[in-house]
Amino acid sequence: MRPFAGTPDGTELSTGLGNPIWPKQIDVTGLINNTFRSGDPRLQWLFLDLNSYFASVEQELRPELRDRPMAVVPLLADTTCCIAASYEAKRYGVRTGTQVGEAKRLCPGIVLVEARHEVYVDYHHRVVEAVESCLPVTSVMSIDEMACRLLGREQPLLAALELAREVKAAVRRKAGATLRCSVGLATNRYLSKVASDMEKPDGLVALTPDVLHDALSALTPRDLPGVGARMEKRLLAAGIRTMEQLLALDREQLSAAWGGVGGEKLWHWLRGKDFGDAELEHQKSIGHSHVLSPELRTPDGAYAVANKLLHKAAMRLRKAQLWAPHMTLTIRFAVGSAAASSRHSSGIYQKPWVQSVPLLECQDNQTLLEGLQVLWNQSPAGRTEQKPFFVGVSLDNLVPDHLHTLSLFSGLEEEGKRTRLSTTMDRLNYKYGTHTLCFASMLLAGAAAPTRIAFSSIPDLF
C-alpha cells in the first residue's frame, strides 16, 4: 500500500501538481462523522512545509516573475549561490546552493532577484496567522516549516485530511495566491515531516499506521530528516544502505549505528510512536557568519565584523531566553591554491581556522565579548600574511532559562548587573535600530553583515 493521498473513497485525483483534491459531490461532513465513530486511523500531527518559499514570495509580489524560472540570491554576483529557486528553475537543475554562474549555464534567461529578508519574515508571520485561523501552531520549526498537534475530532483520517485542505486554502487566501505548501499527516511530528516531503509541490500525504512500513520502505535513508552526508556515511559503514535494512534493526542496533540516544528515538518514531522530546523544544545554537567586503579583509576589519555578529547573536539569545555555555569562532583565510585545504563557494581558495571556548552560562554582551577576545587571541589573525575573508560566530549547546544554573564563580548580583545592561541595550536597539547603542569594537564594521535568514530560524529584523 502507499500513503493515503487521495479522495475519501480511495480515488486518486490530481490537480496536475500531484496534490489530492476532494470531489465536490462527496458529503465530507458526513464521512468525517462516520470516520470518527468507526475508529478509523487517527493522526496526531500536521506538518506544513512551504514550497520554494523565498521564490514564491517574490512571485507573489511581482506578477511578471510568475511561471518563469527565477532564483533568489544574496547579491547579484556570479560567485555567490542561489538561496532559493522557483519550481520553473528547478526543472533545469537549479537548486538551493547552486552557484549563480552555474545557474545561468543550466538555465539561460533565469531571472535573479536579490533577497529581501524583511519581506520573507513578514510573509512568514502572515502564514502563521493563516494556519492559526484553522488550528493552533504548536511549533515553528523554521522560516518555512511549522507543526500543529491534532486533538480530539481533528485526529480521524478524513477529518485530518479535510483540516489540511482548509489550512492550504487559508495560506493561499490570507498570505498569497501563489504560495503553495506541502502538508504531511502522521502519528508523530517526525513522520509528519517525512510525509510533507513525499509529494512536492502542493502535496498532501497521510502516513497512517497501516501503510507506514511500506511507505517508508520506498524511501532511502537520506530521505529521513537528520540523515545528512555524515550520518549517511556512518550508516553505510554499518552496512545500512536501504530503508528495509534500517527498519529491520532493533533499538540497540540502531542506537549503535546512529551513535547515541538519537538512534533509539528514531527507532520509536519510525514505528509511529509519539512522545515528548525536550531536545526538540528549544534552539541548540545561534550563530551568524559573513563574507567580508574587500575593505574589511584585515585583522581589524574582521574583528569588528565578528563583534557585530556576536552582538546580533546575543540579542537573539536573550529574546529566546536561552543561555550560552559555549562559543565557536570561525575564520577563513584567502590563500593560494597550493596552500588551500578547500575552495569556498565564492571561488576563493581557503584555509579555515575554527576554535571553541567554554563559557560560564551567560547571555550578556560583556561575558560573551570576553570569550570572543580569548578566541581571537588564539587565532592566526594578525600573525599571518593571509587575509581573512570570512568570519562566523556561533553560541552552542544552549540552555533554556528554566535549566540555567548560576555560576559558583559569580554571584547573582554580578550576573544581574551584566544582564540588565544588555537588556537595556536591547530595548533601545529594538526601538531605534541596531547601531543605537553598541560596543565601540564593532563600529568599524559599519553596514557590514546585514540581516540574513537561515532556513532554520526566523530572525528579528535587526
Side-chain angles (χ1 to χ4, degrees):
M1 297 180 69
R2 67 184 299 277
F4 189 97
T7 61
D9 61 357
T11 306
E12 292 185 332
L13 299 180
S14 173
T15 62
L17 291 174
N19 59 306
I21 59 175
W22 294 83
K24 292 181 181 179
Q25 68 270 23
I26 292 179
D27 178 5
V28 174
T29 302
L31 282 167
I32 290 173
N33 290 336
N34 289 335
T35 300
F36 186 81
R37 288 193 297 268
S38 65
D40 273 6
R42 301 175 74 88
L43 303 162
Q44 282 75 44
W45 286 92
L46 180 153
F47 194 99
L48 180 144
D49 182 354
L50 292 158
N51 305 143
S52 293
Y53 176 56
F54 295 171
S56 295
V57 170
E58 293 294 345
Q59 290 178 320
E60 172 68 20
L61 293 172
R62 297 175 57 182
E64 71 274 13
L65 296 177
R66 297 175 189 175
D67 302 318
R68 296 185 62 185
M70 54 84 61
V72 177
V73 296
L75 51 91
L76 298 175
D78 283 2
T79 54
T80 191
C81 296
C82 300
I83 58 176
S86 68
Y87 273 92
E88 294 81 7
K90 287 180 177 179
R91 295 189 186 108
Y92 290 86
V94 180
R95 298 286 186 270
T96 298
T98 302
Q99 196 167 26
V100 169
E102 176 68 5
K104 290 179 177 179
R105 186 191 68 79
L106 292 170
C107 182
I110 188 172
V111 181
L112 302 175
V113 177
E114 195 163 354
R116 297 184 290 169
H117 301 281
E118 68 284 352
V119 173
Y120 310 144
V121 173
D122 175 59
Y123 267 81
H124 163 81
H125 293 302
R126 294 189 193 190
V127 172
V128 171
E129 184 178 348
V131 174
E132 292 202 323
S133 70
C134 302
L135 79 166
V137 172
T138 304
S139 302
V140 173
M141 314 303 292
S142 69
I143 188 77
D144 61 347
E145 294 180 328
M146 59 201 71
C148 306
R149 182 181 285 279
L150 303 179
L151 301 173
R153 296 179 67 86
E154 299 165 345
Q155 293 182 347
L157 174 61
L158 295 183
L161 286 166
E162 176 62 9
L163 187 57
R165 292 184 62 251
E166 292 176 6
V167 166
K168 289 160 70 73
V171 170
R172 292 194 294 270
R173 185 173 63 254
K174 295 176 178 288
T178 65
L179 297 185
R180 294 291 184 269
C181 58
S182 293
V183 173
L185 298 163
T187 54
N188 61 51
R189 183 164 58 180
Y190 185 88
L191 287 176
S192 67
K193 162 65 175 169
V194 172
S196 73
D197 288 332
M198 293 177 73
E199 270 193 19
K200 287 188 174 182
D202 208 19
L204 171 54
V205 173
L207 287 177
T208 54
D210 56 320
V211 302
L212 185 56
H213 185 276
D214 289 343
L216 292 178
S217 297
L219 305 178
T220 68
R222 191 63 183 267
D223 292 326
L224 297 178
V227 180
R230 290 183 181 178
M231 184 54 68
E232 182 180 43
K233 185 176 180 181
R234 187 181 185 93
L235 293 176
L236 288 172
I240 303 166
R241 290 171 172 77
T242 68
M243 279 298 298
E244 285 282 8
Q245 292 172 321
L246 185 69
L247 292 170
L249 300 177
D250 62 28
R251 282 179 294 177
E252 290 75 16
Q253 291 171 328
L254 187 50
S255 294
W258 194 267
V261 68
E264 184 169 354
K265 293 177 183 176
L266 181 64
W267 188 89
H268 287 288
W269 285 331
L270 293 179
R271 283 150 183 80
K273 305 289 181 61
D274 188 27
F275 55 89
D277 184 4
E279 291 188 10
L280 297 174
E281 303 307 324
H282 73 274
Q283 198 168 351
K284 302 306 178 301
S285 67
I286 291 176
H288 293 280
S289 62
H290 185 64
V291 176
L292 304 173
S293 56
E295 68 274 12
L296 291 174
R297 293 179 183 180
T298 64
D300 288 343
Y303 184 66
V305 172
N307 268 262
K308 185 172 183 179
L309 297 176
L310 182 59
H311 178 69
K312 293 165 66 175
M315 289 177 71
R316 290 175 58 197
L317 184 77
R318 290 186 289 273
K319 185 165 187 181
Q321 296 184 312
L322 297 170
W323 296 77
H326 192 267
M327 180 191 299
T328 300
L329 173 66
T330 301
I331 308 173
R332 300 183 187 274
F333 296 93
V335 298
S337 58
S341 59
S342 60
R343 195 170 183 177
H344 189 257
S345 59
S346 63
I348 298 174
Y349 288 101
Q350 63 180 351
K351 188 173 184 179
W353 180 89
V354 183
Q355 189 60 270
S356 300
V357 64
L359 305 168
L360 300 176
E361 284 183 15
C362 66
Q363 57 178 200
D364 66 278
N365 286 17
Q366 187 175 343
T367 305
L368 293 170
L369 286 172
E370 290 168 359
L372 178 63
Q373 186 64 61
V374 169
L375 289 171
W376 194 264
N377 290 340
Q378 296 174 5
S379 77
R383 303 195 306 271
T384 176
E385 296 298 319
Q386 300 165 359
K387 288 186 176 181
F389 75 93
F390 172 102
V391 292
V393 177
S394 68
L395 305 175
D396 314 307
N397 305 327
L398 303 181
V399 177
D401 195 58
H402 67 278
L403 296 179
H404 166 58
T405 303
L406 183 66
S407 168
L408 295 174
F409 304 102
S410 65
L412 183 61
E413 182 179 355
E414 176 65 21
E415 185 178 277
K417 285 180 180 179
R418 291 189 170 200
T419 301
R420 284 196 298 274
L421 174 61
S422 296
T423 52
T424 299
M425 292 175 65
D426 289 349
R427 283 196 295 270
L428 290 169
N429 288 328
Y430 278 123
K431 186 172 183 179
Y432 299 109
T434 308
H435 297 128
T436 304
L437 195 59
C438 64
F439 288 89
S441 52
M442 65 179 268
L443 290 177
L444 182 60
T451 298
R452 302 291 188 214
I453 293 180
F455 282 100
S456 60
S457 64
I458 303 90
D460 298 295
L461 295 179
F462 52 75

